[in-house]
Amino acid sequence: MTSLPKIVFIGSGNVATHLASALVAAAKGCVARIVSPNYSHAAALAERVGAVASADIADIDTDADYVVICTADDAIAQVAAAMPRLTHGLLVHTSGSVDMSVLTPGSDRVAVMYPLQTFSRDVDVNVAEVPFFTEASDDASLRDVDALAAMMSQTIIHADSDRRRVLHVAAVLACNFTSYMLNCAEQVLGSEQLPLRLLKPLVQTTIDKCFDVGPERAQTGPARRGDTEVVKHHLAMLSDPEMREIYRTISQAIMRHFNLDNSQRFT
């Protein structure tokens, strides 16, 4: 491999945007091509990182050192099967939940590079602080995918498919479910024309406490105290049946976790 690797991205969404931008910041000119069926998106990202855009997967540079698939999880296998086979390069996907073996139709050398972070195209992320979890088909490929990740991140950890799936489940619980709960909170606040930003100091302090002293010690609230009267009052206030059920289920789980015997009193 030359000192400046030749990198191709398949996909032009949130993950591709942040990773390609981070790689170019580390080594200008290393991203050669952006391939996406949505040509306008591919062209926008290609212009941003100084690459060539294409909507045709047949245009992939088969002599690339790295081809990085950043698509929806259920499309990765289809992309690997449809692309021209690489001559020597490493074929990589970035998913936390997809097995590495789905890449083998596209290359003899395959790897995973999973960044444990939520990405939105127009929200800045310091990729250097994002942990990357890597796996590869052989020792040389593992060294190569680690080198690619190290161009962006200060933290590279080896993790096979089973470990990545555990990480992914934990990430959904900690990140995606938190976002949904804030969505629920925003709806409740909206009934009184109150903005979500009022909760920001509370949420930030809660997150800091969870990482400083652990979520067990950081847990507060009526369910933690076993205050069933407050819980029942809150349930009566929630008009949305789905939101009410979420509140009930989580309150019961908190009470059971802390060995309180009140969890059935508001069923």
Side-chain angles (χ1 to χ4, degrees):
M1 187 182 302
T2 63
S3 57
L4 184 65
K6 184 177 185 180
I7 305 169
V8 172
F9 275 84
I10 302 177
S12 57
N14 296 331
V15 177
T17 296
H18 282 275
L19 299 193
S21 298
L23 286 166
V24 168
K28 186 176 181 180
C30 66
V31 177
R33 189 180 297 274
I34 306 293
V35 181
S36 173
N38 187 324
Y39 181 78
S40 64
H41 287 178
L45 179 54
E47 182 177 4
R48 180 171 176 172
V49 300
V52 175
S54 175
D56 189 347
I57 200 168
D59 292 338
I60 287 175
D61 308 71
T62 56
D63 64 341
D65 298 305
Y66 298 98
V67 172
V68 184
I69 300 176
C70 296
T71 65
D73 287 2
D74 58 6
I76 293 172
Q78 181 180 354
V79 168
M83 61 178 278
R85 193 169 177 82
L86 303 184
T87 57
H88 71 276
L90 188 62
L91 181 58
V92 182
H93 77 61
T94 59
S95 170
S97 59
V98 176
D99 195 273
M100 179 175 63
S101 62
V102 304
L103 297 173
T104 54
S107 178
D108 290 331
R109 304 177 62 234
V110 297
V112 177
M113 182 179 69
Y114 170 47
L116 190 59
Q117 181 56 279
T118 176
F119 293 108
S120 297
R121 198 190 313 263
D122 299 320
V123 177
D124 289 339
V125 171
N126 185 354
V127 179
E129 296 179 350
V130 176
F132 280 67
F133 295 87
T134 61
E135 178 187 17
S137 53
D138 56 80
D139 290 344
S141 297
L142 186 60
R143 287 193 295 271
D144 283 349
V145 73
D146 284 353
L148 181 65
M151 291 175 66
M152 298 175 281
S153 174
Q154 300 168 357
T155 305
I156 294 94
I157 301 169
H158 296 160
D160 62 15
S161 295
D162 289 340
R163 179 167 286 189
R164 282 199 322 279
R165 278 190 280 267
V166 168
L167 286 162
H168 196 232
V169 171
V172 168
L173 288 167
C175 174
N176 304 136
F177 286 6
T178 299
S179 297
Y180 184 75
M181 296 306 292
L182 287 171
N183 188 312
C184 292
E186 185 174 43
Q187 292 179 56
V188 171
L189 289 169
S191 67
E192 292 294 328
Q193 291 77 52
L194 295 168
L196 180 65
R197 60 178 170 77
L198 293 176
L199 296 180
K200 187 174 181 180
L202 172 65
V203 173
Q204 288 184 327
T205 298
T206 301
I207 293 297
D208 289 343
K209 277 203 303 181
C210 285
F211 285 97
D212 288 343
V213 304
E216 183 100 6
R217 291 178 61 191
Q219 184 73 60
T220 60
R224 173 64 183 93
R225 297 189 299 270
D227 193 337
T228 56
E229 292 306 310
V230 171
V231 171
K232 287 192 288 187
H233 181 64
H234 287 175
L235 287 170
M237 292 173 61
L238 294 171
S239 59
D240 183 284
E242 189 172 79
M243 201 180 299
R244 190 164 56 246
E245 186 57 33
I246 290 170
Y247 190 107
R248 176 185 290 110
T249 299
I250 294 177
S251 295
Q252 289 175 332
I254 291 170
M255 287 184 174
R256 286 194 297 269
H257 179 78
F258 288 97
N259 297 313
L260 301 173
D261 59 6
N262 301 340
S263 62
Q264 301 305 315
R265 297 185 187 177
F266 48 85
T267 55

